[in-house]
Amino acid sequence: MPERSPLLIATRDNNIETARALIPAAHHGHPDAVRELLKTAIDVDHVNRLGWTALLETIILSDGGPVHQEILAQLIAAGADVNLADAEGASPLTHARRRGYTEMVEMLEAAGALEALGTHSATGTLATTGVPNSRAAARGVWWQLYPAHSLVA
């Protein structure tokens, strides 16, 4: 196994790096590494400093071809949030559609992905077709938009 293998990175420091290893394994097109990482107690929706998850990077930093389609299918099967938007509020479905990745669009839609509609005018948070899909919503902004569905802090 090469020295910079995602699996070696993931096993360093008692799996502290596992969630971060999933992101490069996904965007660099290593389906076997992704499969192994998903067997661990991993946060499949870990968000990096760019505001991207492994699922987002599988779309944004790929050619949309068969290898990345396989990785996308693995992430979806592992329960990745198909509506978790990037820091600018663009959903995975939005990114796939913008890039013309028809197969990925179909996979995301079949998994329940929604198109992001932009930012909410009053709060600056992401407005969607019905579900929160940003980390800001998960951190507490969601309850401001929909008080009847408040989250426990």
Side-chain angles (χ1 to χ4, degrees):
M1 193 175 303
E3 187 175 309
R4 297 208 37 109
S5 162
L7 289 177
L8 284 180
I9 293 168
T11 57
R12 184 176 67 219
D13 301 327
N14 298 320
N15 280 340
I16 291 170
E17 300 293 322
T18 304
R20 285 182 274 178
L22 181 62
I23 293 173
H27 92 250
H28 285 295
H30 298 291
D32 294 335
V34 169
R35 188 175 301 106
E36 291 303 312
L37 289 166
L38 291 173
K39 291 178 184 177
T40 68
I42 193 169
D43 177 6
V44 71
D45 290 322
H46 172 77
V47 178
N48 67 14
R49 287 179 285 137
L50 296 173
W52 294 348
T53 62
L55 190 140
L56 280 165
E57 288 210 9
T58 298
I59 298 164
I60 295 168
L61 299 177
S62 78
D63 62 1
V67 170
H68 286 95
Q69 291 170 31
E70 177 184 350
I71 292 169
L72 180 61
Q74 290 176 16
L75 293 169
I76 291 170
D81 185 346
V82 295
N83 289 306
L84 191 60
D86 66 17
E88 282 77 43
S91 71
L93 184 58
T94 299
H95 283 289
R97 201 178 301 284
R98 284 179 185 164
R99 287 164 175 73
Y101 297 165
T102 306
E103 294 83 1
M104 287 184 163
V105 167
E106 291 170 1
M107 294 168 70
L108 290 164
E109 288 177 335
L114 302 171
E115 196 76 52
L117 300 177
T119 52
H120 188 277
S121 58
T123 64
T125 60
L126 185 68
T128 68
T129 54
V131 298
N133 68 344
S134 72
R135 286 291 186 203
R139 286 188 205 113
V141 176
W142 176 246
W143 68 267
Q144 293 174 359
L145 296 173
Y146 304 97
H149 302 287
S150 63
L151 299 172
V152 176

